[in-house]
Amino acid sequence: MTDIASAPEAPKKTTLTVTIDGHAVEANPGELLIAAAERTGTYIPRFCWHPRMREVGMCRMCLIEVSGPRGMSLQPACMQPCAEGMVVDTKSEVVKKAQDGVLEFLLINHPLDCPVCDKGGECPLQDQTLTFGPGESRFVEEKRHFEKPIPISDLVLLDRERCILCDRCTRFSKEVSGDPLIHFINRGNATEVNTFPDDPYASYFSGNVVQICPVGALTAEPYRFVARPWDLDQVESTCTSCAVGCRVVVQSSGDEITRVQGVDSGPINWGWLCDKGRFDFQSISASDRLAQPMVRVAKGRAAVRTSWTEALGQVTDRLRTYQPSEIGFIGGARLTNEDQYAMVKFAKAVVKTDNVDAQLGDGLPAHAWLGLPSATINDACGASAVIVLGADIKEELPVLFLRLRDASEKRVPIIELSPTRTGLSPYTTSTLAYRPGEAAVVVRSLLSLIEGVDVERQVGGVEAVDLHIAAEALRVAVAGGRGNGRVVVIFGRPSLAETTDSVVEALGALNNGIPGVTFLPAMRRSNLRGALDMGLAPGMLPGRTSLADGASWFAKHWGAAPVSVGLDTHEMLLGAVGGGIKALVLVGADPLADFPDRALAQKALANVGYIVAIDTMPNSSNAFADVLLPAAGYGEKSGTTTNIEGRVSNVRAKVSAPGLARPDWMAFAEMASNLGEDFGFDSVEDITAEIAAVCPSHLGLTATVLNAPGNADGVLVPIPAASIESAVPTDAPTEASADTSPTAGADAPEKEATAPGALSVPPLVSFRPNAAAAVVPQPDSYSLRLVTSRTLYDHGTITQASPSLAKLAPGPHVRLNPGEVERHGLTHGSNVRLVSQTADVVLSVMADERVPRGAAFVPFNQHGPGAADLIDVATMGTEGVTKVRLESVTGG
Amino acid sequence: MARFSASNLERAKELVGHYPRSKSATIPLCHLAQEQDGYLTEDAMVQIAELVGCTSAEVYGTASFYEMFKFHPVGKYIVGVCTNISCLLVGGEELLEHAEKSLGIRAGATTADGLFTLEEMECLAACTEAPCLQVNYRYEYRVSNSGFDSLVTEIRAGRRSDIPSHGSLGKVRQSIPSDRRASRQTF
Amino acid sequence: MPAPLKMITTRWDQADGHTLEGYLRTDGYEGLRKALARTPEEVVDEVKAANLAGRGGAGFPCGTKWGFLPKDVFPRYLVVNGDESEPGTYKDRILLERDPHQLIEGVLIAAYAIRAAQAFIYIRGEMPHAQERMAQALNDAYASGYIGKNIMGTDFSVDVMLHWGAGAYIVGEETALIESLEGNRGMPRLKPPFFPASKGLYLQPTVVNNVETLSNLPWIMINGAEAFTAVGNEKNAGTRLFAVSGHVKNPGVFEVEFGTTTFRELFYDFAGGIREDRKVKAFIPGGGSAPWFFEEDLDTPLDAGVVGSKGSMLGSGAIVVMDETTDIVKATWRLVKFFAKESCGKCSPCREGTNWLEKIYRRILDGHGRPEDIDLLLDVADNISPGLTWPPKQTTICPLGPSAAAGALPGSVKRFRNEYEAYIAKAKPSPTRIPVLSGDH
Ligand SMILES: Cc1cc2nc3c(=O)[nH]c(=O)nc-3n(C[C@H](O)[C@H](O)[C@H](O)COP(=O)(O)O)c2cc1C
Ligand code: SF4
Ligand code: FES
């Protein structure tokens, strides 16, 4: 096995011919010889070349003979662009001697510790040596010595004796992730890779260097010596640590997941992963995984183990005693599409409640997500300009950050709107750090500037100059001054301490104000897009239809559907406090950690009569459960997942779930059956088939389509009506008329009625502007506006259950502009009390230039008291933002 | 205290301004820091990284490529004896051996009093004046063993004030009067 | 004896030749004045007509090089290569120390001709005296209106910046020089695609010229291309500076007519003959990288083409003479050691191979040589530079590694194999794994 990441893509147009070892092959102008050769079946050995990084031509392993004006000469294939008529010999005696020579040079100082090396068995150097290499060592001298592996970060170790100085890791850190904390040090034969003294390679992307190291010089602490490569068995899957949906292979040894590696997917991750996605598989084998159904005989009593039948019987008996409107379902974003479909069908067709919400007050309304014309990651990275309105992409969707960073290197202008500067800000054309709650004001000014209407000196906390720079970039982009003239808006929830109104308003304005604009949602929770597509939101039904439009369609298919729009999480929690909600079903949800107002969540959980929780791990919320059901987690179940783009791809089981844990869909199907409804689901495939048959946005998305060889990167939904037929094998459940393609706007496949009956497919939901203008927060020099969003590593269950990552969470603190630190007489590292309308917490102070004056940034969900304690959603609803005062702490 | 002094910081900023891209000032700033501190300290590299806009690892990566930058304290005088071909042919190696004996240290080491660090040098571009050496990069031509000994004696006696301490740059620095400066393209 | 010619060394004996005053007194900046009276294109044409070959080592015609700059791509840069570190080479430093204004004038003429936005004079780090002299000269020239804004009252403006290195031979290679000037490790870039003329400093069009090359420009501007080509022979115009060192009676740097003088004349007429009137055993005709010549080559003229056709090069004008007492194995080792130490480390064959060669040599010298080591030397060298021909074929990016392999080594081994064998014959039987016995590696 060689490099998983090096799957070359076929060139767009083949217009020239080169002759490789006597065979004429077509190549793309500019295509490198090494890539053209590989694409056409000739593998040229290499160590330094990597298809996703700039070529450096320094290992010299790929030397081949190339024709030139002065006859054949040795050239590195990785630096040689194909040219018409070029004649290449990759197997001549001269080539063989040169390659053998290089291999011998690389080996003379390489330790012979293959038997104890992590890379043994999958090492290109070892493979080359076995295939081509010199035998007996002619090198009788002492080898180069370095101290054996040294940690260069909390996650990565470096063995400089094994290093062949290919520049892959160092190039990755500089070119791809933009954090060159590892570098070549010293010169010539003494060259080594290292960090600056006491400045570790603390990168969110450090695991990639381990993957791309062609020898065993870089190893990852989470899987050093865990398994030998030849013990590994692997499946291709999709990472669900966040919602980018990176392609991965999941490897296991015995019945345990031992490693996750990135797969080069052109539309998505290019082979890269973030360290959280790479290493949080550790949580799968956490010792406190839930493995048994547990029930509590009475409130306050300890839960006891029981059987699934017993537990689910108890749940359905109890649910029968409530009115549908008294039951609420919270969560589901971590499930597969199939689990979600079973969940929504159970809630909306069996329990017949619309009180279902996969978002925990930390998202945006479903119609904003699903109703705006959509863009892919490649659309964004190839756009004429990108607008990012959201939180810190580097923290929330790290590999999307890598793609955007690459786009910015390729001179795609990025305009960022966020309440603080972020990890992306160094790569933007202009970062508009708006005053919390005032996104819409800034966006409107930006749009009017594009129209040529001047603005005031300062708008919503943003200086006019910055607006001018942004407007100019957008004006050039829209006028077709560069690229395709398309603008893509990447949007998310910039801060949980401001309401969504201003953001939704801003999105509406952008949608109306920029011709041809498309949108890419940037919301981190893994399968949230799938959850919304599957109808896990009040007022929504599966397949991106609204309850209003789709009720009769689903009533037809399901036998029943809710009659009125239900409650969202916030309203359910209020209902639980007020008594209107009597039972809550928490599906992989932890409102105490994730809902922005912890006090409300706490009261709700304490007050509600009955709580059922399905989860993989114990958490602070499911500790309240009357019935706690163990769910199979990542790597233990198969199905599909949907990324931010609306791309559906496979996730696959690799190991068995602990104890009695099983996929969520089984619990919902069994409960439905207890309540007299037979879903007819015997397998995940049954659910996939039903989704493909009845969900308007997913029509035609059968297992056959998903597993088609060309669809390894996943399939964007909706599948254009025109291609459903070709994509769908003959047994497809639809007979779509192939005359229309999806319209921008709602991407609706405007198809005539499909089976059964004559009912027509409901339209896909469309974006609705807010009824009323968002509140513009009042200026108040006395207090600061709170900003909170997530860091990559937080107090979340998965991170905390992954020992390598748990320690990387920054912990609770408040970041303030150095000017504010000074103004309040504080110092970096001192403690300060933050006082909001309803609560106060003490946090340590971090001076941070990136936070504007007038704002206080508190990372969401770190251990201990934090942002969720300060936020009162009711106050926030009227003021638009959360305000905090700083008070000194004595003896702090 | 290894940050730049106020005047050196000003000089550093001026140097950064000489180049279309600030990273180009890395080597000149490393020299400036070494002149100030006698060697290139970690603090200095951190500050240089800030001034030229890169990581300290990048500054270290650049600096460690070059022989003249030292990352640990060295003698006040670096005595560098050339042993490359032209000097080798007329006694460069023997001169280095003599220097080792005379100073009581091997090449690469520093005398106990911290005065001298002895180095073997590559060709110094004084091949017609072989064997030659440099003291803090100031030349001595056609050096005999006794010439070496008297050089050391002179330095110890403080009679070679023409040789500044290690790290010192040329006495004259380029300075560009702002009114004479051609406008240059920055991008 | 050929008459000594002085074209670019006229101020070497003038006590104040390095000052602006002394320079102006001796026709200083007249060449620039003449150049500014013409169009940049005319200046380029004049330099082309002068057939001025580069003096940095490769001998590429200067005017032709300028002509490679892509049209209409700006900004462009001029970089002066004053990194002089090739073993045996000593000429640029004297030009910098004794006649800095002559170089500055050459730089300004070149910058004008190629429409450079900025020029950088990169001086080797270990030459503070040259840096001082150049800094003073630049300051004076700025103050007197020869550099900077509206030079000599014309529309021509350019800044000339003094930059200096920090000790790394490889930085003399032009693409490494550019990397270094960008603040990076001095590791060469692969040509193509990184030909300085198209993707040089900051990936902009750049001309890199040697100190001596540019020092010829004022003379050419004042006296014209025709006068310049009148000196030398048909292919080799002007004069060249040769540093003659090693076993000669009067080592020195001599300006001689290019192409006509022979090595014998240089050694015996200019440098006073061989030490103690011994015989010449071998000599380096053009710097530590160059394959060696031997006694039978003494009558070869100092003509780049002729020397090239005999399998070596005039290179950087560094001539090192070895008399019959020379320990050839040791002399070769010292050059190989130099390249091993100075390898930038980028290419595996150079980084590993040159060090391997050096270790084999050291083992032989330390009395642990094995009979198979001689062929091993040649084969390892062949893996760095296939065929061991000159100019060297490369498995590497730049010619440094190949110079270690195909420069002195093959000729030394082949011609003086007996000396290698003599070392090996005296060797003690060696253990299989040989400890590193001495040296500083
Ligand atoms: C290893 C190596 C070292 C070199 N060192 C120098 C040097 O010290 N000075 C120099 O002018 N050219 C040196 N060169 C040649 C330069 O690459 C370049 O050809 C030269 O500076 C061009 O100037 P010219 O055309 O005026 O000769 C070196 C080349 C190589 C391969
Ligand atoms: S040949 Fe040697 S010096 Fe030249 S680039 Fe390669 S490693 Fe560096
Ligand atoms: S793969 Fe081409 S030189 Fe390394």
Side-chain angles (χ1 to χ4, degrees):
Chain A
M1 198 188 78
T2 53
D3 208 335
I4 289 165
S6 60
E9 278 160 65
K12 279 186 211 77
K13 57 179 169 82
T14 50
T15 54
L16 53 85
T17 308
V18 296
T19 306
I20 299 177
D21 298 337
H23 304 286
V25 304
E26 295 283 292
N28 195 31
E31 190 180 14
L32 294 171
L33 214 40
I34 195 168
E38 181 164 356
R39 192 171 46 71
T40 54
T42 306
Y43 184 83
I44 299 171
R46 81 289 299 258
F47 294 111
C48 66
W49 186 67
H50 186 285
R52 293 292 182 186
M53 296 194 289
R54 270 212 332 258
E55 54 276 10
V56 284
M58 60 192 282
C59 75
R60 318 303 290 175
M61 190 63 217
C62 67
L63 290 170
I64 40 131
E65 283 196 290
V66 180
S67 60
R70 269 169 270 132
M72 299 294 272
S73 65
L74 279 174
Q75 299 291 342
C78 71
M79 295 287 286
Q80 209 67 36
C82 293
E84 182 59 46
M86 194 177 243
V87 177
V88 180
D89 194 334
T90 75
K91 308 227 153 59
S92 69
E93 279 308 304
V94 176
V95 168
K96 189 166 163 20
K97 177 146 195 323
Q99 291 184 353
D100 278 357
V102 171
L103 204 52
E104 183 180 33
F105 288 140
L106 289 173
L107 288 170
I108 60 172
N109 277 304
H110 193 81
L112 300 169
D113 59 357
C114 305
V116 296
C117 176
D118 269 5
K119 203 83 178 183
E122 57 167 11
C123 174
L125 183 60
Q126 199 182 30
D127 294 349
Q128 293 303 334
T129 309
L130 298 175
T131 319
F132 309 98
E136 184 83 343
S137 175
R138 304 192 289 173
F139 184 79
V140 295
E141 272 73 20
E142 192 80 14
K143 288 182 188 265
R144 197 160 45 218
H145 283 302
F146 283 112
E147 189 190 326
K148 273 295 204 183
I150 50 166
I152 56 170
S153 77
D154 285 329
L155 296 171
V156 179
L157 295 105
L158 167 65
D159 182 332
R160 291 163 295 173
E161 291 184 345
R162 291 183 189 154
C163 171
I164 58 164
L165 301 169
C166 68
D167 200 20
R168 280 184 167 201
C169 57
T170 37
R171 245 182 308 159
F172 173 86
S173 71
K174 169 110 185 142
E175 282 176 23
V176 181
S177 61
D179 43 18
L181 299 168
I182 43 173
H183 209 279
F184 282 148
I185 305 294
N186 298 327
R187 188 181 69 212
N189 202 34
T191 308
E192 59 180 281
V193 170
N194 215 327
T195 62
F196 190 70
D198 306 320
D199 189 8
Y201 179 44
S203 167
Y204 282 173
F205 305 99
S206 65
N208 292 295
V209 305
V210 176
Q211 180 171 343
I212 62 179
C213 177
V215 292
L218 289 162
T219 44
E221 189 255 345
Y223 43 71
R224 252 169 65 80
F225 307 121
V226 167
R228 305 311 315 269
W230 52 80
D231 294 335
L232 293 176
D233 184 24
Q234 64 183 38
V235 292
E236 198 172 321
S237 191
T238 308
C239 176
T240 59
S241 292
C242 81
V244 172
C246 296
R247 302 298 305 151
V248 294
V249 289
V250 177
Q251 303 176 327
S252 66
S253 175
D255 197 22
E256 202 165 327
I257 293 182
T258 47
R259 190 164 75 169
V260 173
Q261 300 269 71
V263 170
D264 191 332
S265 158
I268 310 165
N269 59 318
W270 292 6
W272 315 130
L273 297 180
C274 74
D275 287 353
K276 188 173 173 184
R278 185 182 298 273
F279 297 127
D280 72 5
F281 70 86
Q282 289 183 326
S283 66
I284 296 169
S285 39
S287 57
D288 56 348
R289 275 293 300 276
L290 299 176
Q292 299 280 340
M294 310 281 281
V295 296
R296 215 184 290 279
V297 207
K299 285 267 180 224
R301 300 275 298 276
V304 293
R305 290 178 181 198
T306 182
S307 70
W308 273 101
T309 316
E310 186 69 27
L312 294 178
Q314 203 206 87
V315 172
T316 43
D317 285 349
R318 186 71 180 254
L319 291 182
R320 247 194 276 264
T321 66
Y322 302 113
Q323 295 298 312
S325 64
E326 292 171 336
I327 303 171
F329 289 76
I330 296 176
R334 295 215 175 273
L335 313 187
T336 62
N337 293 333
E338 288 73 13
D339 289 333
Q340 290 166 346
Y341 183 79
M343 170 179 167
V344 78
K345 192 170 175 181
F346 176 70
K348 297 201 174 180
V350 181
V351 177
K352 301 186 183 65
T353 179
D354 193 48
N355 300 336
V356 179
D357 197 355
Q359 305 191 85
L360 278 80
D362 53 354
L364 290 173
H367 69 86
W369 273 80
L370 305 178
L372 289 163
S374 64
T376 63
I377 295 172
N378 277 358
D379 289 343
C381 295
S384 290
V386 177
I387 298 174
V388 177
L389 168 56
D392 192 332
I393 305 266
K394 186 174 179 182
E395 304 287 343
E396 299 206 329
L397 298 159
V399 172
L400 177 60
F401 160 79
L402 292 186
R403 293 292 314 274
L404 286 173
R405 190 183 173 278
D406 178 77
S408 124
E409 299 280 297
K410 292 175 180 150
R411 303 194 175 244
V412 174
I414 300 175
I415 314 297
E416 182 186 37
L417 288 118
S418 183
T420 66
R421 293 178 67 79
T422 70
L424 184 66
S425 304
Y427 309 104
T428 62
T429 305
S430 180
T431 290
L432 311 176
Y434 68 83
R435 250 190 326 254
E438 304 188 28
V441 185
V442 174
V443 163
R444 274 195 301 269
S445 303
L446 182 62
L447 292 169
S448 53
L449 260 180
I450 299 175
E451 299 287 301
V453 183
D454 211 352
V455 297
E456 282 169 44
R457 204 180 48 78
Q458 214 226 40
V459 181
V462 176
E463 300 294 327
V465 264
D466 295 322
L467 277 168
H468 273 279
I469 294 168
E472 181 56 27
L474 288 171
R475 199 179 308 128
V476 171
V478 174
R482 70 169 297 287
N484 54 15
R486 308 274 281 188
V487 175
V488 171
V489 176
I490 299 179
F491 68 99
R493 178 84 182 263
S495 163
L496 303 181
E498 60 180 20
T499 59
T500 61
D501 295 343
S502 177
V503 178
V504 172
E505 199 170 301
L507 292 173
L510 290 166
N511 193 28
N512 290 333
I514 301 177
V517 66
T518 52
F519 292 81
L520 175 68
M523 301 288 256
R524 57 180 274 285
R525 200 166 286 133
S526 59
N527 196 19
L528 187 49
R529 173 120 198 189
L532 299 183
D533 274 354
M534 290 300 111
L536 292 177
M540 293 296 295
L541 284 169
R544 291 188 200 165
T545 33
S546 68
L547 185 58
D549 293 331
S552 46
W553 172 266
F554 279 97
K556 173 91 189 158
H557 285 283
W558 284 352
V563 287
S564 58
V565 174
L567 309 177
D568 66 12
T569 296
H570 176 208
E571 293 158 340
M572 284 187 260
L573 295 176
L574 287 175
V577 175
I581 291 288
K582 299 207 161 63
L584 281 176
V585 181
L586 303 178
V587 186
D590 185 2
L592 285 178
D594 290 334
F595 189 73
D597 180 342
R598 180 142 42 204
L600 174 59
Q602 207 129 28
K603 263 186 254 160
L605 294 185
N607 217 40
V608 74
Y610 189 60
I611 299 176
V612 182
I614 310 184
D615 221 320
T616 55
M617 306 272 299
N619 64 35
S620 55
S621 301
N622 64 32
F624 285 82
D626 297 282
V627 177
L628 182 54
L629 304 169
Y634 185 71
E636 296 163 352
K637 58 182 179 182
S638 294
T640 62
T641 188
T642 309
N643 80 345
I644 48 172
E645 306 167 290
R647 184 186 301 279
V648 180
S649 59
N650 288 309
V651 289
R652 292 200 173 89
K654 188 71 210 72
V655 294
S656 37
L660 299 181
R662 39 156 124 153
D664 303 62
W665 68 265
M666 289 187 184
F668 292 113
E670 190 172 333
M671 289 194 287
S673 142
N674 288 353
L675 294 174
E677 291 291 335
D678 182 5
F679 283 173
F681 296 156
D682 286 327
S683 66
V684 176
E685 289 71 28
D686 291 342
I687 312 179
T688 311
E690 185 167 318
I691 293 172
V694 309
C695 293
S697 58
H698 286 55
L699 293 179
L701 190 66
T702 59
T704 322
V705 173
L706 281 161
N707 294 324
N711 288 341
D713 292 323
V715 179
L716 281 169
V717 290
I719 304 177
S723 62
I724 289 184
E725 269 182 328
S726 54
V728 172
T730 45
D731 63 336
T734 60
E735 307 100 45
S737 59
D739 53 4
T740 46
S741 58
T743 51
D747 286 352
E750 290 171 12
K751 283 188 304 282
E752 286 311 303
T754 63
L759 202 55
S760 64
V761 179
L764 304 194
V765 71
S766 55
F767 180 78
R768 296 189 306 274
N770 286 341
V775 187
V776 179
Q778 291 304 305
D780 170 1
S781 58
Y782 180 55
S783 57
L784 305 178
R785 292 189 193 168
L786 182 67
V787 177
T788 181
S789 60
R790 304 195 184 243
T791 51
L792 182 64
Y793 305 118
D794 62 6
H795 201 56
T797 315
I798 302 288
T799 300
Q800 289 305 311
S802 307
S804 301
L805 304 180
K807 59 193 176 206
L808 301 177
H813 63 272
V814 55
R815 287 181 219 164
L816 298 169
N817 184 282
E820 294 288 1
V821 173
E822 207 184 298
R823 184 165 78 96
H824 288 90
L826 301 165
T827 52
H828 187 88
S830 67
N831 282 346
V832 68
R833 187 184 309 280
L834 277 73
V835 184
S836 75
Q837 200 84 11
T838 50
D840 65 272
V841 297
V842 174
L843 294 170
S844 78
V845 173
M846 186 194 243
D848 187 347
E849 300 274 359
R850 301 186 306 170
V851 180
R853 280 170 174 269
F857 177 88
V858 177
F860 196 75
N861 195 23
Q862 298 295 326
H863 70 79
D869 299 292
L870 293 167
I871 296 171
D872 173 56
V873 277
T875 317
M876 191 164 89
T878 52
E879 298 197 335
V881 290
T882 302
K883 293 179 182 167
V884 290
R885 281 179 291 115
L886 301 186
E887 284 180 3
S888 69
V889 200
T890 38
Chain B
M1 195 31 215
R3 305 281 287 188
F4 280 121
S5 66
S7 60
N8 276 339
L9 184 60
E10 205 163 297
R11 174 76 189 146
K13 288 181 177 160
E14 183 190 335
L15 278 167
V16 171
H18 279 188
Y19 297 91
R21 293 195 187 171
S22 46
K23 179 132 195 263
S24 283
T26 304
I27 292 174
L29 294 198
C30 289
H31 276 302
L32 192 64
Q34 180 151 288
E35 179 178 55
Q36 176 181 295
D37 304 320
Y39 71 104
L40 195 51
T41 66
E42 287 178 21
D43 285 353
M45 287 188 275
V46 169
Q47 194 181 15
I48 291 166
E50 288 163 13
L51 286 163
V52 307
C54 66
T55 64
S56 357
E58 289 177 288
V59 173
Y60 186 35
T62 293
S64 63
F65 187 86
Y66 300 93
E67 299 283 340
M68 289 174 75
F69 295 126
K70 311 295 176 194
F71 302 94
H72 302 285
V74 289
K76 185 174 177 197
Y77 299 98
I78 291 192
V79 179
V81 180
C82 176
T83 60
N84 207 311
I85 188 79
S86 303
C87 287
L88 178 87
L89 293 175
V90 296
E93 233 188 17
E94 291 77 6
L95 177 62
L96 179 63
E97 263 169 47
H98 174 78
E100 288 182 332
K101 281 190 206 125
S102 167
L103 293 173
I105 48 171
R106 299 299 298 249
T110 301
T111 54
D113 59 5
L115 208 52
F116 295 103
T117 297
L118 184 61
E119 285 187 352
E120 180 180 17
M121 299 295 278
E122 294 303 339
C123 179
L124 292 172
C127 314
T128 61
E129 315 300 328
C132 66
L133 61 77
Q134 290 183 326
V135 183
N136 292 342
Y137 309 104
R138 275 70 180 173
Y139 285 94
E140 299 289 326
Y141 292 153
R142 301 181 193 240
V143 184
S144 62
N145 288 355
S146 59
F148 181 86
D149 294 341
S150 51
L151 172 69
V152 169
T153 313
E154 294 279 290
I155 292 174
R156 284 199 200 279
R159 284 195 294 269
R160 288 301 300 266
S161 56
D162 58 314
I163 303 174
S165 62
H166 174 249
S168 298
L169 304 168
K171 289 190 288 288
V172 186
R173 309 287 160 88
Q174 182 178 18
S175 69
I176 304 174
S178 53
D179 62 328
R180 285 294 313 133
R181 191 158 174 168
S183 58
R184 65 183 166 76
Q185 266 160 297
T186 327
F187 55 97
Chain C
M1 158 166 182
L5 252 169
K6 282 187 189 268
M7 282 164 66
I8 56 170
T9 60
T10 53
R11 292 178 198 87
W12 284 14
D13 298 326
Q14 182 187 331
D16 67 350
H18 62 280
T19 65
L20 181 61
E21 209 180 18
Y23 190 64
L24 290 173
R25 191 160 12 88
T26 50
D27 276 350
Y29 291 106
E30 276 313 302
L32 176 63
R33 191 183 308 281
K34 291 211 155 124
L36 294 181
R38 308 167 73 176
T39 65
E41 292 69 29
E42 285 166 352
V43 176
V44 174
D45 288 343
E46 190 77 42
V47 173
K48 276 186 184 157
N51 191 21
L52 171 64
R55 308 302 201 220
F60 199 83
C62 181
T64 314
K65 185 192 272 192
W66 296 359
F68 288 153
L69 292 169
K71 280 214 171 2
D72 304 326
V73 186
F74 297 96
R76 296 170 175 177
Y77 297 104
L78 173 66
V79 178
V80 184
N81 191 341
D83 194 56
E84 191 167 60
S85 325
E86 173 83 11
T89 311
Y90 176 30
K91 61 189 182 72
D92 297 340
R93 182 165 70 88
I94 318 188
L95 286 168
L96 289 163
E97 288 176 358
R98 300 209 196 153
D99 204 346
H101 285 285
Q102 176 175 262
L103 174 62
I104 294 173
E105 187 176 355
V107 168
L108 293 166
I109 294 166
Y112 175 70
I114 65 166
R115 300 171 193 270
Q118 207 171 343
F120 297 91
I121 301 179
Y122 190 119
I123 298 183
R124 181 174 169 185
E126 296 96 330
M127 300 177 174
H129 185 51
Q131 293 155 20
E132 271 167 15
R133 284 274 166 94
M134 183 52 72
Q136 187 63 55
L138 287 168
N139 289 348
D140 294 344
Y142 258 107
S144 312
Y146 294 104
I147 317 181
K149 211 188 285 175
N150 300 116
I151 291 170
M152 296 176 90
T154 67
D155 288 344
F156 174 55
S157 300
V158 72
D159 279 315
V160 181
M161 237 45 100
L162 171 62
H163 184 96
W164 63 102
Y169 160 70
I170 187 58
V171 163
E173 195 283 328
E174 56 187 6
T175 60
L177 189 78
I178 286 169
E179 281 287 333
S180 182
L181 190 49
E182 290 186 3
N184 302 330
R185 302 162 60 76
M187 313 218 287
R189 301 171 175 173
L190 193 75
K191 303 184 274 191
F194 297 105
F195 282 113
S198 51
K199 289 181 180 179
L201 186 62
Y202 313 126
L203 299 184
Q204 291 297 119
T206 301
V207 164
V208 180
N209 271 134
N210 168 261
V211 166
E212 183 187 344
T213 313
L214 294 176
S215 293
N216 276 288
L217 295 180
W219 196 99
I220 294 174
M221 282 300 127
I222 293 173
N223 301 287
E226 212 170 308
F228 190 76
T229 51
V231 184
N233 68 11
E234 213 163 278
K235 293 242 174 78
N236 304 271
T239 61
R240 279 202 63 171
L241 297 182
F242 289 100
V244 185
S245 64
H247 294 152
V248 288
K249 287 181 184 158
N250 304 318
V253 184
F254 307 106
E255 181 172 20
V256 303
E257 186 169 10
F258 197 5
T260 56
T261 317
T262 65
F263 285 103
R264 188 185 298 281
E265 286 165 344
L266 197 58
F267 296 173
Y268 291 90
D269 299 344
F270 287 84
I274 309 304
R275 184 177 73 161
E276 290 169 36
D277 295 321
R278 293 200 178 107
K279 275 173 47 181
V280 170
K281 187 172 186 180
F283 62 95
I284 305 179
S289 304
W292 292 357
F293 274 178
F294 307 103
E295 209 184 352
E296 64 269 26
D297 302 307
L298 278 172
D299 292 311
T300 310
L302 293 157
D303 173 309
V306 175
V307 172
S309 69
K310 297 185 88 177
S312 189
M313 64 169 183
L314 278 184
S316 53
I319 296 169
V320 184
V321 182
M322 291 172 263
D323 73 15
E324 52 194 333
T325 66
T326 308
D327 179 339
I328 288 293
V329 182
K330 189 156 197 180
T332 317
W333 160 71
R334 189 60 187 81
L335 288 168
V336 168
K337 171 177 160 177
F338 168 75
F339 293 112
K341 195 165 151 193
E342 297 297 334
S343 165
C344 80
K346 193 168 182 177
C347 315
S348 320
C350 172
R351 178 185 68 240
E352 306 294 338
T354 56
N355 276 278
W356 190 1
L357 291 175
E358 193 274 332
K359 282 181 173 161
I360 299 170
Y361 265 107
R362 189 141 39 91
R363 199 153 44 70
I364 294 173
L365 289 168
D366 284 344
H368 292 284
R370 306 167 304 168
E372 64 265 38
D373 283 335
I374 302 177
D375 289 333
L376 183 59
L377 281 175
L378 288 171
D379 193 57
V380 171
D382 189 81
N383 283 342
I384 305 173
S385 181
L388 298 181
T389 52
W390 197 268
K393 294 214 170 64
Q394 301 180 190
T395 58
T396 55
I397 291 172
C398 90
L400 185 149
S403 299
L409 189 148
S412 157
V413 172
K414 284 173 192 152
R415 177 127 177 164
F416 303 105
R417 196 173 178 110
N418 58 332
E419 296 197 23
Y420 288 76
E421 284 164 353
Y423 262 107
I424 289 167
K426 284 184 295 183
K428 305 169 231 19
S430 57
T432 19
R433 188 157 294 277
I434 288 132
V436 175
L437 295 176
S438 68
D440 54 352
H441 270 266

